[in-house]
Amino acid sequence: GQTVSSFNWSPDSNTLTYCLRDDFESSLYVININNLTTNRLSTAYFTCPVSWSSDGSHIAYTVTSYPNDLNFYNNFRQLATMRVDNTDERILYSDFSPETRNVRALAWSPDGKHLIFAVDGRSTTLFIIDADGTNLRNITPANMTSPTQDLLYNAQVSWAP
């Protein structure tokens, strides 16, 4: 059956994004709350989680690199952004090494200039990247230990106000 997940309000609270999953495929939708119009933004495998830029013009989300490979363990989740009008889609982070292959959690900076995200593989790594895809920085604390699988799959990141 289908599962709805990852509800996220736009900064102006007029628009809502959500993911609709059916087995391994998921679609990313945006709903205008004022007129109840719904538009599909993306169809891929594992397009969630989603995060809005502070000005509401862009969203960041994950996208699977090999949608034709139904073996879950061969897929890699990349960091992508797009304008909310369904244009200017960009892959900002792709790493196919076993150490840092899956983007699990993401958040825009309050000024909309950067994204923080957590990736997993053999351990969890934290990165910051500029919104244009440049200046990737590993910010993982040296004393961070590898989390349990439960923590890994439920990781969340955020910026302090």
Side-chain angles (χ1 to χ4, degrees), residues 82-101:
M82 79 164 55
R83 294 187 60 78
V84 179
D85 65 5
N86 207 10
T87 62
D88 196 26
E89 184 176 28
R90 297 179 187 193
I91 302 294
L92 300 187
Y93 176 85
S94 293
D95 187 342
F96 303 111
S97 70
E99 288 79 23
T100 54
R101 67 182 190 176

Side-chain angles (χ1 to χ4, degrees), residues 35-146:
N35 61 20
L36 299 180
T37 56
T38 301
N39 294 310
R40 184 168 54 182
L41 297 180
S42 177
T43 301
Y45 292 88
F46 302 107
T47 56
C48 296
V50 177
S51 180
W52 285 83
S53 63
S54 58
D55 67 1
S57 66
H58 288 78
I59 56 168
Y61 57 99
T62 63
V63 62
T64 301
S65 58
Y66 301 117
N68 294 326
D69 188 345
L70 295 180
N71 181 344
F72 176 78
Y73 297 102
N74 290 338
N75 290 302
F76 300 93
R77 293 169 72 172
Q78 303 168 101
L79 175 64
T81 61
M82 79 164 55
R83 294 187 60 78
V84 179
D85 65 5
N86 207 10
T87 62
D88 196 26
E89 184 176 28
R90 297 179 187 193
I91 302 294
L92 300 187
Y93 176 85
S94 293
D95 187 342
F96 303 111
S97 70
E99 288 79 23
T100 54
R101 67 182 190 176
N102 287 314
V103 176
R104 291 281 177 204
L106 54 102
W108 286 89
S109 62
D111 63 7
K113 294 181 181 179
H114 313 282
L115 287 146
I116 185 172
F117 59 102
V119 298
D120 72 38
R122 294 190 178 113
S123 63
T124 298
T125 307
L126 301 173
F127 289 102
I128 292 179
I129 193 168
D130 291 352
D132 65 1
T134 61
N135 201 16
L136 178 69
R137 299 169 307 281
N138 182 335
I139 61 164
T140 309
N143 63 351
M144 186 169 153
T145 59
S146 193

